[in-house]
Amino acid sequence: MTSELTSLTAPQRHQVTVTVNGLPRSAEVAPRRLLSDFLRHDLRLTGTHVGCEHGVCGACTILLDGKPIRSCLTFAVAVDGRDITTVEGLAAEDGTLHPVQQAFQDHHGLQCGFCTPGFVMSACGYLAEHPDAQDDDEIREEMAGNLCRCTGYAGILGAVKQAAEVLRETGADPRDRHRPGGATLG
Amino acid sequence: MKPSPFAYHAPEDVDAALALLAELGDDGKVLAGGQSLVPMMNMRLAAPPALVDITRLTDLDHVTVDDDQVTVGATVTHERLRTHPDASRACPLLRQALDWVAHPVIRNRGTSVGSIVHADPAAELPAVLALLDGSVELRSTQGTRTVAGGDFVVGPLESDVQPGELATSVSFPALTASTGTAFHELARRHGDYALAGVGVRVDLDDDRRVAAVRAAFIGVADRPLVVELTDALSGQAHDALDTGDAVGHARDQLDPNGDIHASGSYRRHLAGILLDRAVCDAVAATTSTQEAA
Ligand SMILES: Cc1cc2nc3c(=O)[nH]c(=O)nc-3n(C[C@H](O)[C@H](O)[C@H](O)COP(=O)(O)OP(=O)(O)OC[C@H]3O[C@@H](n4cnc5c(N)ncnc54)[C@H](O)[C@@H]3O)c2cc1C
Ligand code: FES
Ligand code: FES
């Protein structure tokens, strides 16, 4: 019994394989590895930021199977086999910014940039489900789970509205990597 | 901060999960959406030696709605339940309360059953369960037991789940056309835990007069506080409500603590204001009133 229990409580390492921004990525991790740290330390994708590690600031927001989630409140082992999009998966191969990123630049929706990846990923998830977004109050409420200590939010609100408009024109899915010219190829 | 080391198990079916939980006993903890457990582990307020991740238990991924009740399986997220049209129709208080639960990004992973088991004194769903007298189904290798909604939460962050047990589902009664509900709360920022909040259930009689009223307050006691308000409101016409007595009666029963966010007396005052709004909205929400209008 004791030896059996010990093996059930021994923190073994796990091989975790996920698709990140369209590519299969794999690493061996301890169960306590947070998905945020898995992305940053094991996969060297440091675009995902880490602020509070208790779900409040939103800096670590990524898309899991197309839905925005907090990577700091998820263990890497728990998402084995799933599909992940991070802020590195948005700009076009040639560096052209994704409409959401472009809108943040146009509206000065960032200053220090610490919160920006989280805001951008939350906005992509939100606009994918609410392509008709234009109401200020609704956008504010949907983005209220992310904190910014610099901008005062006005620029961020403007950016999300612009991005919504641009995406409506091109019909692109905001969760896909940007393709200059507007067309999304599968 | 980072969590301390633990062993991770991700069983594929309920029986395997129960066997693991039985063997682990006090050392095992269920991991559902992780939206409360992982912050506690990151802050080292919790350091379970082993986690049993239930998110792969597809058997528990169900919302069932029939004439009597809405039953929600343990892996159903807040967002899935919130946007479930049949569940909202049968028991509108679910949607009314879930609109206040956390931010959309948190709702995408947090589970409704997990929130009830977690039993935060400011959480909305434990109050809904207590107010409507729903029930929780608990399973272990020893068998299945059902706990009545009013008895399930026993203290702050403490519910009646024993080591080795898994809460498999929670049921809420379906409401009839003469019953109306509403949920009101105030938080510093929509989606944060409430400073105070209240869910209300009103039953009207055939003449559209108030027959019964109950309220469940959150954020003002160490667990959801259910207050009977029928004596203070019964007999009132649906279109000529005077909530004064009910608000006074409720405030008499509240003695909230103050903290960095709000003083106790402010919370008590706020609870009364929210009660007034919720009673009026609940009466207006009865289908019988809407048809008469
Ligand atoms: C920033 C932020 C804001 C939030 N705001 C709110 C809010 O306003 N209102 C609100 O209600 N909640 C809020 N939450 C909490 C959120 O609703 C959680 O999802 C919920 O409390 C717990 O559900 P979970 O599935 O994430 O459970 P977990 O975090 O996985 O588990 C919580 C606890 O319940 C146990 N448990 C879970 N499921 C079961 C089961 N089926 N059987 C036995 N034990 C189980 C776990 O062992 C653990 O002890 C917030 C969270 C965050 C991070
Ligand atoms: S780092 Fe994840 S929410 Fe702050
Ligand atoms: S730009 Fe600095 S925190 Fe938002």
Side-chain angles (χ1 to χ4, degrees), chain B residues 144-236:
Chain B
T144 302
R145 67 185 178 109
T146 305
V147 180
D151 301 332
F152 186 65
V153 175
V154 294
L157 302 183
E158 199 182 345
S159 56
D160 183 11
V161 179
Q162 303 304 317
E165 277 187 322
L166 175 66
T168 43
S169 67
V170 173
S171 298
F172 303 90
L175 303 176
T176 62
S178 58
T179 300
T181 54
F183 208 106
H184 276 267
E185 71 174 50
L186 190 79
R188 295 290 295 270
R189 181 172 66 136
H190 190 158
D192 289 352
Y193 277 115
L195 297 176
V198 65
V200 166
R201 170 194 175 135
V202 176
D203 296 281
L204 299 187
D205 65 16
D206 293 343
D207 301 323
R208 293 196 305 282
R209 288 178 179 279
V210 174
V213 183
R214 291 178 94 190
F217 291 91
I218 61 169
V220 292
D222 63 3
R223 57 190 181 128
L225 187 75
V226 177
V227 179
E228 292 291 343
L229 296 167
T230 303
D231 287 350
L233 284 158
S234 74
Q236 293 196 16

Side-chain angles (χ1 to χ4, degrees), chain A residues 12-25:
Chain A
Q12 273 142 2
R13 293 175 72 82
H14 298 250
Q15 189 71 31
V16 173
T17 305
V18 286
T19 305
V20 182
N21 303 327
L23 299 172
R25 303 293 299 266

Side-chain angles (χ1 to χ4, degrees), chain A residues 126 135-146 157, chain B residues 82 99-100 102-104 107 189-191:
Chain A
Y126 164 54
D135 178 63
D136 283 6
D137 287 345
E138 188 197 299
I139 295 173
R140 260 196 208 102
E141 191 167 300
E142 291 287 327
M143 303 301 294
N146 291 66
L157 178 66
Chain B
R82 194 182 76 88
D99 279 341
W100 296 104
H103 307 282
R107 290 200 301 259
R189 181 172 66 136
H190 190 158

Side-chain angles (χ1 to χ4, degrees), chain A residues 1 4-5 7-12 14 31-34 37 41 50 52-56 61 64 67-70 72-75 77-80 82 122 129 141-142 144-147 153, chain B residues 1-9 20 22-25 27 31 33-36 38-44 49-51 53 55-56 79 82 99 103-109 189-190 192:
Chain A
M1 180 72 201
E4 220 171 299
L5 240 191
S7 72
L8 280 181
T9 52
Q12 273 142 2
H14 298 250
R32 66 176 181 147
R33 192 60 136 179
L34 297 170
D37 291 337
H41 301 301
V50 173
C52 64
E53 287 186 335
H54 49 268
V56 175
T61 307
L64 178 68
K67 285 191 192 308
I69 65 142
R70 298 282 197 250
C72 76
L73 297 188
T74 303
F75 294 114
V77 272
V79 297
D80 186 37
R82 313 271 295 265
S122 292
E129 285 192 14
E141 191 167 300
E142 291 287 327
N146 291 66
L147 295 178
Y153 300 101
Chain B
M1 272 166 54
K2 313 295 175 192
S4 51
F6 59 88
Y8 173 81
H9 303 278
L20 275 165
E23 214 163 320
L24 284 161
D27 283 341
L31 172 68
Q35 304 301 288
S36 294
V38 182
M40 291 179 72
M41 291 174 67
N42 285 351
M43 291 186 267
R44 303 265 175 131
L51 290 187
D53 183 348
T55 54
R56 282 165 216 247
E79 192 58 15
R82 194 182 76 88
D99 279 341
H103 307 282
V105 177
I106 307 286
R107 290 200 301 259
N108 278 339
R109 269 186 82 71
R189 181 172 66 136
H190 190 158
D192 289 352

